[in-house]
Amino acid sequence: MMIQDADEKLTHTLLEWVLPQAESPVLETKRVSGKMVGKALETICAFANTQGGWLVLGIEDSEKAKGADRLYGIGENPEAVDELLRKLNTHHLPVIEGIRTFRLQTKLRDGTDGIVVAFHVPASDKVHSILDDGTWTRGQASNREMNASEITELSYRRGVRSAESEPVDVDFELLDTDTWRLFLRGRGLTSTGIADQLYRIGLAKKVGGELRPLRAAVLLFSDYPGSLLAAGGTRADVRVFHYKGTAIEAGEVPNLKKTPKTLSGPLYRLIELTHAYVLDELADGLTLATSGFRTIHRYPERVIKEAITNALIHRDYRLNRDVQIRIFDNRIEVLSPGLFPGRITPATIQRAGSFARNPLLASNLREFPEPPNVDAGEGVRMMFTVMKANSLYPPQYRELREQAQETVIVTLLNEERPPVWEQVSDWIDRNGPLSNSELCAIAGLDTLKASKLLKRWVAQGLLVSDTSRGKRHAAYLKPIGGADTFKATGLLSTPSDNEN
């Protein structure tokens, strides 16, 4: 593996970020010794299996030294660094792709010139182990070996395995529906018995010598897949909630406009049914907002349908939760059970596009007349492009990890985007956290107006406070989170990062 020489700007920014910090889910520091290699391999494996992170060699633990006194450099044992670099290509199974290694030249704690080596490990779309040394995950500040059930769970979350391909105990006759016959016509097939036909196209398996449909077949063809799969702990419907105002109000009487709507059906029908219902709600949704003005919903239809389609095709069908759609006066939220599969993150989804957690669903939906998806990976990019063309804020993607069931949420704001937002967004991508004074300089605003804009963007979820700077040096960045937080500096962008 090659080591890149970091330029002065990257060196300064990385060390300024690392030295004040203790070890965390996305950062580990180590002095270099012969025993370091095995622990470093564990850390890199754990970062790849979790959310990515930084391993920085030649820096003392924060509990033993502070600031520049932590800088020991790799001169204590440079041979150990060479050994680690060699083993990165031979001791991780499978090999972890995308690791970048930087040589940082700096002044050490004793005032001499020295070198610190930093490894940036991306979150992987695979599950990695160490040769003869287990499979590791990252906790709050350390690594932990995973057990068999945790490895299986990670395989599902990463999309290495998918619940759609599991056989289920459902009678084939319950799948012999109008939707199945529409599918056959779309593929130019004639029915030779549904069980045999599903087996031939990979939507049924033999279990103990007996054919069983896959969960994907039930989702695609059953009239009521949510009901049939409920006994196995899977829900497959859509719940639509239409709220008064801009927030969910806790209390005895919820601030709902009407009783929540449950929508059911085979995926092909369910996508169309949900899209039509949401559009009807929005057309009827010229509701009197709390401000006294009528709310006019301006979302492009293509964007709404793509958000619904992605939520239903790419959700985790192991989870006992329906897709939820929440309509407020100022936004729509689409919640899809599960986290992003593969190496997709909220920060990368615009350029990465979609990842087919459920490839059987995605590929077979294409075979219907007027399919809801073309499976070209361009749908998410289209959402960003169309929202921008309509002078609206870009879609906001987040992962909700701190709740009973993990969820991906996409938010579409019903508000015109001011021209200065594009300048602000680009500035943060290139330079990192933005302060009030920097916004004043960019936009030609006074301090008060800039402060109001920043507070509004925080309230909308477009920006978050950079907590590392303290209140006196308040600054703001995009809520990308995890190991990608440091990428907000723009210093680690690559040609592919800047596409589109």
Side-chain angles (χ1 to χ4, degrees), residues 185-335:
R185 291 197 297 272
R187 292 199 59 168
L189 301 174
T190 56
S191 180
T192 57
I194 186 169
D196 181 66
Q197 194 75 276
L198 286 174
Y199 179 68
R200 290 176 181 276
I201 61 176
L203 290 172
K205 287 182 179 178
K206 289 183 178 179
V207 180
E210 186 177 355
L211 280 178
R212 284 281 181 263
L214 303 188
R215 184 178 274 108
V218 178
L219 292 166
L220 287 166
F221 307 122
S222 166
D223 288 332
Y224 303 102
S227 299
L228 292 181
L229 296 173
T234 296
R235 287 162 70 174
D237 296 333
V238 176
R239 296 267 288 163
V240 183
F241 301 82
H242 197 160
Y243 292 94
K244 303 172 185 175
T246 61
I248 300 173
E249 298 175 6
E252 291 185 16
V253 181
N255 59 315
L256 287 162
K257 284 188 62 180
K258 58 177 67 174
T259 302
K261 180 73 171 180
T262 300
L263 302 168
S264 304
L267 273 183
Y268 176 70
R269 305 287 189 191
L270 184 57
I271 291 169
E272 288 295 336
L273 184 64
T274 304
H275 183 223
Y277 182 82
V278 171
L279 291 184
D280 285 345
E281 287 297 291
L282 296 179
D284 188 42
L286 302 178
T287 56
L288 196 64
T290 54
S291 63
F293 294 97
R294 284 187 173 274
T295 298
I296 300 175
H297 294 286
R298 305 176 60 229
Y299 318 99
E301 288 189 23
R302 289 180 64 198
V303 173
I304 295 173
K305 185 171 184 178
E306 185 67 24
I308 293 168
T309 301
N310 287 342
L312 284 165
I313 293 178
H314 300 303
R315 62 156 291 180
D316 188 340
Y317 278 102
R318 292 174 306 141
L319 303 180
N320 189 23
R321 186 176 183 180
D322 295 320
V323 167
Q324 292 186 14
I325 299 174
R326 301 171 180 169
I327 302 172
F328 298 89
D329 284 355
N330 67 339
R331 69 191 185 280
I332 296 175
E333 296 175 347
V334 181
L335 293 84

Side-chain angles (χ1 to χ4, degrees), residues 26-43:
V26 296
L27 174 65
E28 181 158 318
T29 59
K30 288 186 178 298
R31 287 178 62 178
V32 180
S33 68
K35 297 179 180 179
M36 174 273 300
V37 176
K39 293 296 184 182
L41 287 170
E42 289 177 6
T43 296

